[in-house]
PDB file of all heavy atoms in Angstrom:
ATOM      1  N   ALA A 435      10.514 -10.444 -14.898  1.00 93.00           N
ATOM      2  CA  ALA A 435      11.842 -10.034 -14.428  1.00 93.00           C
ATOM      3  C   ALA A 435      11.978 -10.447 -12.971  1.00 93.00           C
ATOM      4  O   ALA A 435      11.077 -10.203 -12.164  1.00 93.00           O
ATOM      5  CB  ALA A 435      12.020  -8.524 -14.574  1.00 93.00           C
ATOM      6  N   TYR A 436      13.093 -11.059 -12.622  1.00 93.00           N
ATOM      7  CA  TYR A 436      13.271 -11.539 -11.264  1.00 93.00           C
ATOM      8  C   TYR A 436      14.741 -11.505 -10.880  1.00 93.00           C
ATOM      9  O   TYR A 436      15.641 -11.482 -11.742  1.00 93.00           O
ATOM     10  CB  TYR A 436      12.705 -12.956 -11.091  1.00 93.00           C
ATOM     11  CG  TYR A 436      13.266 -13.968 -12.067  1.00 93.00           C
ATOM     12  CD1 TYR A 436      14.384 -14.746 -11.746  1.00 93.00           C
ATOM     13  CD2 TYR A 436      12.678 -14.161 -13.315  1.00 93.00           C
ATOM     14  CE1 TYR A 436      14.892 -15.677 -12.633  1.00 93.00           C
ATOM     15  CE2 TYR A 436      13.177 -15.081 -14.203  1.00 93.00           C
ATOM     16  CZ  TYR A 436      14.286 -15.842 -13.871  1.00 93.00           C
ATOM     17  OH  TYR A 436      14.793 -16.756 -14.764  1.00 93.00           O
ATOM     18  N   THR A 437      14.989 -11.499  -9.592  1.00 92.00           N
ATOM     19  CA  THR A 437      16.350 -11.420  -9.082  1.00 92.00           C
ATOM     20  C   THR A 437      16.900 -12.817  -8.798  1.00 92.00           C
ATOM     21  O   THR A 437      16.144 -13.781  -8.673  1.00 92.00           O
ATOM     22  CB  THR A 437      16.415 -10.601  -7.787  1.00 92.00           C
ATOM     23  OG1 THR A 437      15.621 -11.246  -6.787  1.00 92.00           O
ATOM     24  CG2 THR A 437      15.898  -9.195  -8.005  1.00 92.00           C
ATOM     25  N   GLY A 438      18.218 -12.891  -8.651  1.00 78.00           N
ATOM     26  CA  GLY A 438      18.856 -14.136  -8.244  1.00 78.00           C
ATOM     27  C   GLY A 438      19.042 -15.100  -9.384  1.00 78.00           C
ATOM     28  O   GLY A 438      18.873 -14.763 -10.572  1.00 78.00           O
ATOM     29  N   SER A 439      19.360 -16.316  -9.038  1.00 61.00           N
ATOM     30  CA  SER A 439      19.638 -17.345 -10.038  1.00 61.00           C
ATOM     31  C   SER A 439      18.362 -18.071 -10.398  1.00 61.00           C
ATOM     32  O   SER A 439      17.356 -17.985  -9.718  1.00 61.00           O
ATOM     33  CB  SER A 439      20.647 -18.348  -9.485  1.00 61.00           C
ATOM     34  OG  SER A 439      20.149 -18.957  -8.317  1.00 61.00           O
ATOM     35  N   SER A 440      18.402 -18.797 -11.507  1.00 53.00           N
ATOM     36  CA  SER A 440      17.243 -19.576 -11.931  1.00 53.00           C
ATOM     37  C   SER A 440      17.546 -21.050 -11.814  1.00 53.00           C
ATOM     38  O   SER A 440      18.708 -21.478 -11.736  1.00 53.00           O
ATOM     39  CB  SER A 440      16.874 -19.233 -13.374  1.00 53.00           C
ATOM     40  OG  SER A 440      17.946 -19.559 -14.231  1.00 53.00           O
ATOM     41  N   GLN A 441      16.496 -21.862 -11.788  1.00 50.00           N
ATOM     42  CA  GLN A 441      16.621 -23.306 -11.739  1.00 50.00           C
ATOM     43  C   GLN A 441      16.049 -23.869 -13.028  1.00 50.00           C
ATOM     44  O   GLN A 441      15.276 -23.236 -13.717  1.00 50.00           O
ATOM     45  CB  GLN A 441      15.833 -23.858 -10.533  1.00 50.00           C
ATOM     46  CG  GLN A 441      16.305 -23.281  -9.202  1.00 50.00           C
ATOM     47  CD  GLN A 441      15.346 -23.639  -8.077  1.00 50.00           C
ATOM     48  OE1 GLN A 441      14.206 -23.994  -8.315  1.00 50.00           O
ATOM     49  NE2 GLN A 441      15.824 -23.531  -6.847  1.00 50.00           N
ATOM     50  N   SER A 442      16.429 -25.078 -13.353  1.00 41.00           N
ATOM     51  CA  SER A 442      15.919 -25.682 -14.577  1.00 41.00           C
ATOM     52  C   SER A 442      14.440 -25.957 -14.440  1.00 41.00           C
ATOM     53  O   SER A 442      13.917 -26.151 -13.350  1.00 41.00           O
ATOM     54  CB  SER A 442      16.665 -26.995 -14.861  1.00 41.00           C
ATOM     55  OG  SER A 442      16.450 -27.906 -13.804  1.00 41.00           O
ATOM     56  N   GLY A 443      13.747 -25.984 -15.556  1.00 45.00           N
ATOM     57  CA  GLY A 443      12.317 -26.247 -15.534  1.00 45.00           C
ATOM     58  C   GLY A 443      12.039 -27.710 -15.298  1.00 45.00           C
ATOM     59  O   GLY A 443      12.906 -28.516 -14.994  1.00 45.00           O
ATOM     60  N   GLY A 444      10.786 -28.088 -15.471  1.00 44.00           N
ATOM     61  CA  GLY A 444      10.424 -29.470 -15.271  1.00 44.00           C
ATOM     62  C   GLY A 444       9.741 -29.686 -13.947  1.00 44.00           C
ATOM     63  O   GLY A 444       9.052 -28.851 -13.426  1.00 44.00           O
ATOM     64  N   GLY A 445       9.990 -30.865 -13.374  1.00 44.00           N
ATOM     65  CA  GLY A 445       9.326 -31.206 -12.127  1.00 44.00           C
ATOM     66  C   GLY A 445       7.902 -31.632 -12.395  1.00 44.00           C
ATOM     67  O   GLY A 445       7.539 -32.052 -13.489  1.00 44.00           O
ATOM     68  N   ARG A 446       7.083 -31.513 -11.397  1.00 46.00           N
ATOM     69  CA  ARG A 446       5.697 -31.982 -11.518  1.00 46.00           C
ATOM     70  C   ARG A 446       4.922 -31.197 -12.548  1.00 46.00           C
ATOM     71  O   ARG A 446       3.942 -31.665 -13.081  1.00 46.00           O
ATOM     72  CB  ARG A 446       4.999 -31.896 -10.168  1.00 46.00           C
ATOM     73  CG  ARG A 446       5.553 -32.873  -9.150  1.00 46.00           C
ATOM     74  CD  ARG A 446       4.693 -32.918  -7.902  1.00 46.00           C
ATOM     75  NE  ARG A 446       5.228 -33.868  -6.944  1.00 46.00           N
ATOM     76  CZ  ARG A 446       4.648 -34.154  -5.791  1.00 46.00           C
ATOM     77  NH1 ARG A 446       3.522 -33.541  -5.457  1.00 46.00           N
ATOM     78  NH2 ARG A 446       5.167 -35.025  -4.961  1.00 46.00           N
ATOM     79  N   GLY A 447       5.357 -29.963 -12.798  1.00 44.00           N
ATOM     80  CA  GLY A 447       4.643 -29.182 -13.796  1.00 44.00           C
ATOM     81  C   GLY A 447       5.024 -29.542 -15.207  1.00 44.00           C
ATOM     82  O   GLY A 447       4.482 -28.998 -16.150  1.00 44.00           O
TER      83      GLY A 447
END
Side-chain angles (χ1 to χ4, degrees):
Y436 55 92
T437 62
S439 60
S440 62
Q441 302 169 341
S442 61
R446 293 189 179 183

